[in-house]
Amino acid sequence: MSQIMRKITLWRAISAVIFAAGLWATYLRFFAGWRAATNLSDGQPWGIWVGVATLCGVGLSAGGFAIAGAVYLLGMERYHAISRASVMIAFLGYLSVAAGYAWELGLPWNFWHPIVMWNRKSVLFEVVWCIMLYTTVLALEFSPALLEKIPHQRIRELALEWHHRILIGLVLIGVLLSSLHQSFLGGLFIIFKGKVYPLWYSNYQTTLFYLSAIPAGFAMVIIALYLCHRSLGVKLDLGILKDFSRVITPLLVIFGLFRFADLARQHAMEYLFLARSETFYFWLEMALFIVAPVVLLNLKKVRETPIGLYWASAITVMGFITHRINVSITALERATGTHYVPKWSELAVTIMLVATAVIAFRWAVLHLKIFPRVEPRTRWLAEPAEAD
Amino acid sequence: MSKQSKALLIDITKCIGCQQCSVACKAGHKQPGDPEPTLSATAFTVIEPRGEKFVRRLCMHCEDPSCASVCPVGAIVKTAQGAVRYDGSKCIGCRYCMIACPFSVPKYEWSKLAPYVTKCDMCAERVLAGKQTLCAEACPTGATTFGDREDLLMEAHKRIVENPGTYVPRIYGEKEVGGTSVFYISDVPFEQLGFIEPPMNQPMPTLSAAALGEVPTVVTIGGSLLAGLYWFTQRRREVALAQVAEQDEKERN
Ligand code: SF4
Ligand code: SF4
Ligand code: SF4
């Protein structure tokens, strides 16, 4: 008991530090200005708020559409028990991306402009629309967790009944919207031709972003499920984690093969071994995102233990983040002649967003019916929730 | 004013680096301070010394500008009179235009709490009123001249042809990224003057258009495929259920 207490206080303390730093950084961003809060510059105007908060936030939420699609469209019933959790991970991911715009955008109060001011030529316009629509879809997919809380029985049943009717359509639209904007995020970089270091330029960046988001999304779901199991006492069929890890390896191999074939096609192979900092970052990305996960997940010890899967997934996620940072930051440094290292406050804001999502996730797991449970205290929820 | 698209012609052989253009531009746009060494939020144009030569830099006013094509809210537009103009009241501050510009022209007001993108607007209000740009007006040597795009292009060709051996046979801006509305001619090869070699001679927005063009196909094929898979799995399940029912039936009998 005292050990648990100590753990709780430790996490409390860490959270307190995270939020204090994040709020101080927020104060700097909004009242002291960009120079005080960021190391952004004309040569590197995006930095980690775009490179990590947006690109990784969206990418790591890819598990939501992949798992919902697998369960509802492909009929993989086995994963039904965790489909709501994965949808919630994605939903929180997108909400934090949207919240992140408050810091990222220069004129955040104009955030709604893309709704009424259209530029169909802009990849970013398409991304913004897909993300808005998909977040709505996720909210609807996730809504039963809240609808179940409606005290009035008739209304509750009616709402859930309606939800059940539109669910398949929602999942289908969700998969399409996700596929579109996961790839469009890569499409943002296609017009930077000439400014992007050859190891990260591709006019198939769309495909590369799509291919990399799915394994990273699965890794993220493994991490979240494992933590639910370990820290929140959720009873889970841990074999599911193993199943997901089995998907990750081939997907990463496909991504790696595509990546190298693409480099060869663009005659960028000669850059692979130059004595430059870019070379280091490239191989770091390869090591973390492809080599390490593939090797680890092939080891029996790793594959067969939840904790092994957890760490292999954590490395995959780190590799994924390295990839997105490389594409959005490292790749531009040489052409723009700007070396960028994020300021502490940029990191603090990003970490605060992640922490908020984690706390919301924890709250939801403890207070909503995210995982099917048959404990006495949730008995009154009855069962109409299970949508099929 | 003629309806023609306007442009600027910069003749590097004539520029003496006097900075009159920068001074006039700053004064006209109420920007503080002396001429600056590099483009910034308070300098739409600068003179960059390159050896013996002086290179004037400013927005190229591309014919099909990347900055305009990437802007999610259409805050940047190529106008009929040639200028590529920015409308701060639409801007959300995503800064995509800054990276997308192949010449790295747009700058940001990093020191402000409500920062806007800044770049040369080809003195759009003056030009609409039938006047020439401030920089062209201020230039004492005729190194910068203002006029109809077609006329200036002809003039540039004429100067190259009529002074054999003087100019390198290239008008920077005629073909680069599909053509611009600022032309340079020079007696020193452009790469020695620090001009970037643009990645292509077609408009850069064609690159994104290719990616976006695949959208309808992806949606149609992907959508039908998924619907098909769903139908298939449903069907399989129904068959399985029917079989189980049959089995039960048999067993009961
Ligand atoms: S030079 Fe850059 S800022 Fe100017 S019009 Fe072309 S793309 Fe836009
Ligand atoms: S910063 Fe403003 S002008 Fe530039 S692309 Fe974004 S919204 Fe458009
Ligand atoms: S055209 Fe006008 S805004 Fe542009 S550099 Fe010349 S004076 Fe400045």
Side-chain angles (χ1 to χ4, degrees), chain A residues 197 199 260 268-276 279 282-283:
Chain A
Y197 193 74
L199 287 176
F260 277 97
M269 291 297 229
E270 56 191 280
Y271 291 89
L272 286 180
F273 301 106
L274 295 184
R276 289 178 171 177
T279 316
F282 175 82
W283 288 109

Side-chain angles (χ1 to χ4, degrees), chain B residues 7-30:
Chain B
L8 289 166
L9 171 61
I10 296 168
D11 188 334
I12 289 180
T13 66
K14 295 189 181 180
C15 181
I16 54 171
C18 70
Q19 305 268 26
Q20 290 303 317
C21 49
S22 313
V23 173
C25 179
K26 278 205 165 211
H29 294 90
K30 301 193 174 63

Side-chain angles (χ1 to χ4, degrees), chain A residues 45 77 110 113 119 122 188, chain B residues 70-71 90-91 95-96 237:
Chain A
E77 289 300 323
N110 287 347
H113 280 185
N119 179 13
S122 165
L188 291 177
Chain B
V70 301
C71 177
K90 288 188 167 179
C91 180
R95 312 186 287 283
Y96 193 9
R237 183 195 288 173

